[in-house]
Amino acid sequence: MSGKWIRRLGEEMKLAEALIARANLQKRFNELQSRIMDNTHVQEGESPAEDPELLIEQALGILNDLESYIRAINKTNSQTMISGGNMTITDAIAKRDMLKSKHQLFNAIANSATVTNSRYSRTEIKNVAVISVTEYR
């Protein structure tokens, strides 16, 4: 067998297939959620275009399926070592997420500290940066 396999509800599939199925379920859930919100209220005397109770039932079914995929994917990721053998896929995902958060923080700091001259005359108050913007870019 090539590639990593996962087991979900007694069924074996490749990790890549499970990731695709998870993404499809998330997309379907988001679409259903939007449809539910569109049908939660109508003008007096009117009927909703779709039965919100039926849509809610479908959304809950999708969430159950989604949970089983997420559990199987997370279990596989926590047991699979990446090249070099010093961390699991879960460790690498956590590291990626923290690097992304640090990048967003430093970008926000640099954007906030970038001074734009909005003075109309020399007598108005001048703003100056208190940190090195280039250090955070």
Side-chain angles (χ1 to χ4, degrees):
M1 291 190 294
S2 67
K4 194 65 180 171
W5 290 79
I6 69 165
R7 178 174 294 283
R8 184 187 81 86
L9 303 176
E11 170 189 355
E12 279 195 354
M13 63 178 24
K14 286 188 176 184
L15 179 58
E17 293 170 336
L19 292 169
I20 291 168
R22 180 188 68 183
N24 288 337
L25 285 171
Q26 288 170 327
K27 181 179 178 187
R28 285 180 44 210
F29 173 76
N30 290 335
E31 290 169 353
L32 268 174
Q33 187 175 10
S34 177
R35 288 169 50 200
I36 291 167
M37 299 308 131
D38 289 343
N39 287 282
T40 57
H41 60 278
V42 294
Q43 286 184 350
E44 190 175 356
E46 296 290 323
S47 298
E50 296 180 272
D51 180 1
E53 295 297 329
L54 180 62
L55 295 175
I56 291 168
E57 187 178 314
Q58 292 173 9
L60 293 175
I62 287 174
L63 287 177
N64 286 335
D65 287 346
L66 190 56
E67 180 182 1
S68 69
Y69 275 104
I70 291 170
R71 286 178 184 273
I73 290 166
N74 288 349
K75 182 177 180 182
T76 300
N77 286 347
S78 69
Q79 296 172 348
T80 304
M81 300 300 283
I82 60 173
S83 61
N86 60 347
M87 70 171 60
T88 64
I89 292 175
T90 300
D91 295 334
I93 291 169
K95 186 165 187 70
R96 177 207 61 196
D97 291 348
M98 289 307 97
L99 289 171
K100 182 179 176 183
S101 294
K102 285 179 185 179
H103 179 262
Q104 289 171 339
L105 171 66
F106 293 143
N107 246 357
I109 290 169
N111 289 338
S112 177
T114 302
V115 177
T116 56
N117 288 328
S118 59
R119 298 186 312 163
Y120 292 104
S121 69
R122 290 182 165 271
T123 59
E124 291 187 48
I125 298 171
K126 181 178 179 181
N127 291 317
V128 295
V130 295
I131 63 167
S132 171
V133 173
T134 56
E135 186 177 321
Y136 288 95
R137 287 252 185 238

